[in-house]
Amino acid sequence: QVQLVESGGGLVQAGGSLRLSCTASGSIASILAMGWYRQAPGKQRELVAIIGIGGNNNYGDFVKGRFTISRDNAKNTVYLQMNSLKPDDTAVYYCNTYVRLLTFGRTNYEYWGQGTQVTVSS
């Protein structure tokens, strides 16, 4: 019922920047939260950043001011501006959202994107 389309991943040198975007579409009544997780080979998936309906943000400890999450409510899109990238940031980045559906609006549903590869070279 909901699809997440991710873009913006790629290969970048250490110290460079990337901007990820994720657009949600489908039978969405409202987006309660939307953001990004990442998973590197051999590691568990971890929170990168997420923004809630009230505009409050939650960042992973490793961000330390380098990443900024924002959203465009009219477009159902969330952005992740990543600056000062490090090789340790190399991972598959997954868009994640919690939504209320038009078909059943009393329950929150979680959806995941397919992931976009971010590779930071040294």
Side-chain angles (χ1 to χ4, degrees):
Q1 291 182 312
V2 175
Q3 293 184 354
L4 300 176
V5 179
E6 303 147 317
S7 64
L11 175 64
V12 66
Q13 293 183 347
S17 299
L18 287 173
R19 190 188 190 212
L20 306 183
S21 64
C22 176
T23 299
S25 62
S27 302
I28 300 172
S30 62
I31 297 178
L32 304 181
M34 196 169 181
W36 295 90
Y37 289 73
R38 72 183 187 185
Q39 187 168 19
K43 297 183 178 180
Q44 295 184 351
R45 190 170 298 187
E46 62 183 350
L47 172 70
V48 178
I50 191 166
I51 185 168
I53 190 172
N56 55 302
N57 302 334
N58 188 20
Y59 292 95
D61 293 338
F62 54 85
V63 172
K64 295 186 182 299
R66 298 182 298 124
F67 297 176
T68 302
I69 191 168
S70 61
R71 68 182 183 183
D72 186 332
N73 292 335
K75 298 180 179 180
N76 285 345
T77 298
V78 65
Y79 304 95
L80 182 68
Q81 180 66 47
M82 302 187 294
N83 299 324
S84 301
L85 284 165
K86 307 174 182 178
D88 287 345
D89 294 320
T90 297
V92 177
Y93 285 69
Y94 297 92
C95 184
N96 170 259
T97 188
Y98 285 85
V99 303
R100 296 282 182 89
L101 302 179
L102 293 171
T103 54
F104 189 56
R106 296 188 178 186
T107 302
N108 300 338
Y109 290 89
E110 184 181 21
Y111 293 91
W112 291 90
Q114 294 296 112
T116 183
Q117 178 69 47
V118 171
T119 302
V120 183
S121 64
S122 60

